[in-house]
């Protein structure tokens, strides 16, 4: 009878176990594995290790295939960048991860899946941060390689749950676990020292009303989880025809969540308005650029006289010396505030008059002079405002536009009172008493608007208006200005407070407490001023109340999946029972059928 397990081109009896074969007289003694002859189905240029990872022989087709797969992984990881401004293809975010997921699930082994995850992570980080090239130059590549390692365990998770022919249990678990794994990546890379939370996938949905309502419940994290869940469901539809019902159920669940957020979560209750002017002087290069920029901002501000303003906001680094130590600058700003009958919130990038070191500070100026309200930036941009381990990496400053001297950090957030002007009492203006205006102002400086926790803490401290002072002139012709301005929409929706985003050179914009943009933006080609009447609200959003609960949920889900995998609750993807190893006469383990 023919052995159904015998290989093609092989005699049926050659498929027997070596210890059950013919005797030594037929050439199959106990020390030998039967000669199976050539395998017509095998690739002559490669074999595989125990994990299924190809062992490449020099000059073989496997090397070319491995290289092509590696390049494909990098390209797949870069695809989500198109969902962010400036391209702004927000709908693409719901499909952008599908090619990467499908690639990882087909990895022949865990190590190849990890490599696909790492290379895709490199592509993602580089594509989302490519505008940093003027500052980091070639150093962006090793930085991308370092951060790309964060996607390595995520790729293991994807292959474990989606690889091979996944069961309904594994497929259903993937709908929750794959987004949770991605959230943990965003949590780790949100640390300031690793570059901060720039390019969070949920931030690509800044102009989608349903996503903004979802952000009010669980922050940008909950939006990210929904986006990755949709990608996972689509990957299931394409990769596992037998589990299309699970994919359809996943899409239906995501639609239900988005619909509930859109129609079930109310917009913040409007309690009043505040009139804010955004002053954008524009680009002024050269040795005297800072002075000319100040003069232009002063000229634009003076044009606001008679417009009944509550606050005038200048962009980051609009003042090049500390007014506390420069009476002439303080006098100019005070006269300007008196002329427009509104307080000025300016930004100083200089050595403080009362302590050593350079600070970036938001400073409030009223008609009576400096109010004493001051906030020093707490979270600095690595390689932009300081050099990590400067004693070792200080030479980096000679290649890019990194800071020659590290900026100093502030120690605590500050909520500022608007001083009284012509309609308030002078006593109230001095001591912040009854004559002080509402709302309270929570300032953030540039990069800090990327951190959801900072705006949340300011609102919990009483801020009714969030103000971001920014400068992206170094990256003027890149995607950075538009993407930075879009972050204010998420911070507004998360906190239920209006956000004014004022820059030196664009993009300047303002958003209401529901995250909707109020009025047009001032683009990077504008030297102008814009007045926006922003709705105020005293509503408390779910995110302000409960904080980063989606991250805690993601930790719990990934921990539970790892525990279940360790307990053997999930079958390995495409695994088949391994044959018992044969024992040779020397007592060493052999591999039957080889």
């Amino acid at each position: 009878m023919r052995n159904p397990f015998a290989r093609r081109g092989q005699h049926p009896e050659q498929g027997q176990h070596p210890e059950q074969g013919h005797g030594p007289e037929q050439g199959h003694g106990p020390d030998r594995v039967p000669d199976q002859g050539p395998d017509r189905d095998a690739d002559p240029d490669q074999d595989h290790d125990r994990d299924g990872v190809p062992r490449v022989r020099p000059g073989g087709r496997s090397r070319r295939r491995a290289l092509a797969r590696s390049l494909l992984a990098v390209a797949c990881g870069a695809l989500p960048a198109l969902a962010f401004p400036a391209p702004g293809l927000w709908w693409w975010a719901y499909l952008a991860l599908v090619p990467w997921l499908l690639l990882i699930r087909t990895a022949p082994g865990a190590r190849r899946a990890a490599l696909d995850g790492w290379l895709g992570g490199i592509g993602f980080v580089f594509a989302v941060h490519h505008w940093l090239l003027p500052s980091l130059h070639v150093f962006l590549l090793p930085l991308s390689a370092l951060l790309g390692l964060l996607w390595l365990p995520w790729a293991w998770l994807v292959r474990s749950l989606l690889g091979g022919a996944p069961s309904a249990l594994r497929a259903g678990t993937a709908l929750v676990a794959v987004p949770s794994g991605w959230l943990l990546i965003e949590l780790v890379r949100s640390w300031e020292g690793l570059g901060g939370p720039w390019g969070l996938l949920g931030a690509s949905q800044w102009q989608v009303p349903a996503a903004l309502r979802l952000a009010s419940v669980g922050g940008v994290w909950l939006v990210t989880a929904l986006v990755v869940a949709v990608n996972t469901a689509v990957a299931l539809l394409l990769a596992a025809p037998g589990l299309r019902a699970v994919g359809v159920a996943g899409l239906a669940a995501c639609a239900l969540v988005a619909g509930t957020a859109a129609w079930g979560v109310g917009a913040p209750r409007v309690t009043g308005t505040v009139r804010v002017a955004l002053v954008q002087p524009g680009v002024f290069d050269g040795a005297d650029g800072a002075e000319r920029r100040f003069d232009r901002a002063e000229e634009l501000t003076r044009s606001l006289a008679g417009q009944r303003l509550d606050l005038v906001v200048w962009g980051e680094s609009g003042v090049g010396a500390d007014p506390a130590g420069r009476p002439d600058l303080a006098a100019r700003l005070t006269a300007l505030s008196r002329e427009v009958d509104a307080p000025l919130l300016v930004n100083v990038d200089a050595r403080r008059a009362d302590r050593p070191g350079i600070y970036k500070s938001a400073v409030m100026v009223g008609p009576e002079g400096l109010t004493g309200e001051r906030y020093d930036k707490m979270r600095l941009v690595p390689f932009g405002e300081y050099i990590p381990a400067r004693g070792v990496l200080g030479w980096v400053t000679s290649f890019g536009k990194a800071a020659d001297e590290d900026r100093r950090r502030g120690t605590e957030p500050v909520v500022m009172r608007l001083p009284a002007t012509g309609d308030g009492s002078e006593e109230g203006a001095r001591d912040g008493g009854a004559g002080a205006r509402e709302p309270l102002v929570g300032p953030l400086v540039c990069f800090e608007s990327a951190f959801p926790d900072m705006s949340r803490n300011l609102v919990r401290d009483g801020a009714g208006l969030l103000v971001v002072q920014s400068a992206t002139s170094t990256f003027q012709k890149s995607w950075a200005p538009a993407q930075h301005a879009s972050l204010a929409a998420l911070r507004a929706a998360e906190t239920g407070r209006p956000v004014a985003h004022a820059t030196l050179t664009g993009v300047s914009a303002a958003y209401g407490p529901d995250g909707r943009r109020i009025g047009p933006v001032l683009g990077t080609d504008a030297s102008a001023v814009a007045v926006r009447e922003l709705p105020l609200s005293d509503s408390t959003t779910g995110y302000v109340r409960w904080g980063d609960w989606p991250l805690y949920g993601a930790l719990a889900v990934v921990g539970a999946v790892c525990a279940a995998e360790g307990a053997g609750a999930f079958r390995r993807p495409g695994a088949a029972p391994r044959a018992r190893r044969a024992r040779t006469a020397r007592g060493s383990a052999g591999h039957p059928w080889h």
Side-chain angles (χ1 to χ4, degrees):
M1 180 178 178
R2 187 177 183 274
N3 184 354
F5 299 102
R7 292 190 176 184
R8 186 168 41 182
Q10 181 183 38
H11 191 275
E13 293 183 352
Q14 289 179 317
Q16 298 175 357
H17 193 283
E19 293 182 357
Q20 297 175 349
H22 299 286
E25 66 277 13
Q26 292 177 305
H28 294 288
D31 290 340
R32 296 188 58 188
V33 175
D35 184 9
Q36 298 177 357
D39 187 348
R40 297 177 185 177
D41 294 331
D43 186 343
D45 294 322
Q46 74 177 33
D47 56 3
H48 297 77
D49 62 12
R50 295 180 184 176
D51 289 328
V53 179
R55 292 194 182 101
V56 181
R57 296 180 183 178
R61 284 182 297 172
S62 295
R63 172 179 292 176
R64 294 191 295 272
R65 290 174 180 172
L67 177 60
R69 185 184 179 99
S70 297
L71 294 175
L72 182 60
V74 175
C76 288
L79 289 176
L82 298 176
F84 296 95
L89 304 177
W90 63 267
W91 52 268
W92 174 241
Y94 295 93
L95 299 172
L97 296 181
V98 174
W100 196 4
L101 291 169
L102 295 178
L103 182 70
I104 292 173
R105 73 173 293 275
T106 62
R111 281 187 289 177
R112 179 68 238 192
L115 181 60
D116 291 340
W118 179 45
L119 293 173
I122 293 174
F124 180 88
V125 174
F126 192 92
V128 172
H129 297 84
H130 72 276
W131 48 273
L132 284 171
L133 282 170
S135 292
L136 295 184
H137 290 271
V138 296
F139 300 103
L140 182 57
L141 187 57
L143 180 62
S144 300
L146 173 64
L147 293 178
L149 292 172
L150 296 175
W151 277 268
L152 190 149
W154 180 74
W156 282 334
L157 179 67
V158 170
R159 182 181 179 274
S160 175
L161 295 175
L162 297 180
S167 65
L169 175 61
R170 282 202 291 131
T173 302
L175 291 172
V176 180
V178 172
S180 297
W182 187 280
L183 273 184
L184 296 187
I185 295 172
E186 292 195 342
L187 170 64
V188 174
R189 71 183 185 90
S190 292
W191 179 47
E192 175 194 348
L194 291 179
W198 189 275
L200 302 183
L201 200 55
S204 65
Q205 307 302 295
W206 66 276
Q207 55 187 336
V208 181
L212 293 174
R213 298 274 50 79
L214 202 63
S216 72
V217 177
V220 67
W221 316 112
L222 191 55
V223 183
T224 289
L226 179 72
V227 171
V228 181
V230 171
N231 277 272
T232 307
V234 173
L236 276 173
L237 287 175
L238 297 177
L243 294 172
R244 285 177 178 164
V246 179
V248 170
L251 290 177
C254 292
L256 180 62
V257 170
T260 301
W263 290 285
V265 180
R269 181 180 63 255
V270 175
T271 58
T273 60
V274 59
R275 286 175 60 83
V276 180
L278 310 177
V279 177
Q280 180 177 300
V283 179
F284 290 90
D285 296 322
D288 61 344
E291 295 180 7
R292 292 191 295 126
R293 188 163 55 237
F294 184 98
D295 293 341
R296 177 58 176 161
E298 186 178 34
E299 178 185 359
L300 290 170
T301 303
R302 189 171 288 115
S303 70
L304 295 168
Q307 296 201 34
R308 297 184 299 104
L309 298 170
D310 294 298
L311 180 65
V312 178
V313 184
W314 288 17
E316 180 186 13
S317 306
V319 181
D322 188 356
R326 287 280 303 274
D328 58 326
L329 284 180
R332 288 175 67 180
L333 293 171
T334 300
L336 198 57
S337 173
R338 187 178 299 117
E339 186 173 348
V340 298
D341 193 29
L344 310 180
L345 185 65
V346 299
N347 191 274
V348 178
D349 183 4
R351 298 184 185 280
R352 284 195 58 157
D354 57 346
R355 64 186 65 173
I358 300 176
Y359 290 81
K360 286 193 174 181
S361 308
V363 176
M364 186 71 77
V365 183
E368 303 300 320
L370 300 177
T371 67
E373 302 271 29
R374 179 175 188 138
Y375 165 68
D376 296 323
K377 186 177 183 181
M378 297 172 60
R379 296 183 182 174
L380 305 178
V381 181
F383 295 101
E385 295 168 333
Y386 76 100
I387 302 295
R390 182 176 285 272
V392 177
L393 301 176
W395 52 272
V396 171
T397 59
S398 62
F399 290 90
K401 297 181 180 180
D404 293 328
E405 180 179 345
D406 291 349
R407 269 48 178 171
R408 303 292 182 91
R409 300 175 188 273
T411 57
E412 61 184 2
V414 175
V415 175
M416 301 179 177
R417 292 185 178 274
L418 294 177
T421 54
D423 297 329
S425 67
E426 292 185 3
E427 183 65 25
R430 292 191 191 98
D431 61 15
R437 292 182 176 182
E438 295 293 341
L440 301 180
V441 176
L444 297 168
V445 181
C446 197
F447 176 61
E448 293 179 328
S449 68
F451 293 87
D453 65 301
M454 295 197 72
S455 55
R456 175 176 179 257
N457 290 334
L458 287 171
V459 171
R460 290 173 67 88
D461 289 341
L465 169 66
L466 300 176
V467 175
V468 181
Q469 296 174 299
S470 175
T472 52
S473 54
T474 303
F475 317 105
Q476 191 72 359
K477 296 182 180 180
S478 72
W479 296 357
Q483 189 170 344
H484 194 189
S486 72
L487 296 177
L490 272 299
R491 303 294 86 85
E494 289 168 344
T495 60
R497 300 294 183 269
V499 179
H501 181 91
T503 72
L504 287 180
T505 60
V507 174
S508 298
Y511 302 88
D514 58 356
R516 292 184 301 111
R517 194 174 68 203
I518 306 296
V521 303
L522 293 178
T524 54
D525 58 347
S527 175
V529 63
V531 177
R532 300 287 179 260
E533 187 161 349
L534 305 179
L536 294 172
S537 176
D538 59 2
S539 299
T540 301
T541 64
Y543 180 68
V544 170
R545 181 179 291 113
W546 301 311
D548 299 324
W549 63 268
L551 296 177
Y552 306 137
L555 282 168
V557 168
V558 172
V561 170
C562 290
E565 181 71 21
F570 300 112
R571 292 175 55 192
R572 292 182 178 273
R578 289 187 179 182
R580 295 182 59 187
R581 295 183 181 180
R583 292 284 179 180
T584 65
R586 297 182 180 87
S588 61
H591 293 279
W593 323 115
H594 286 272

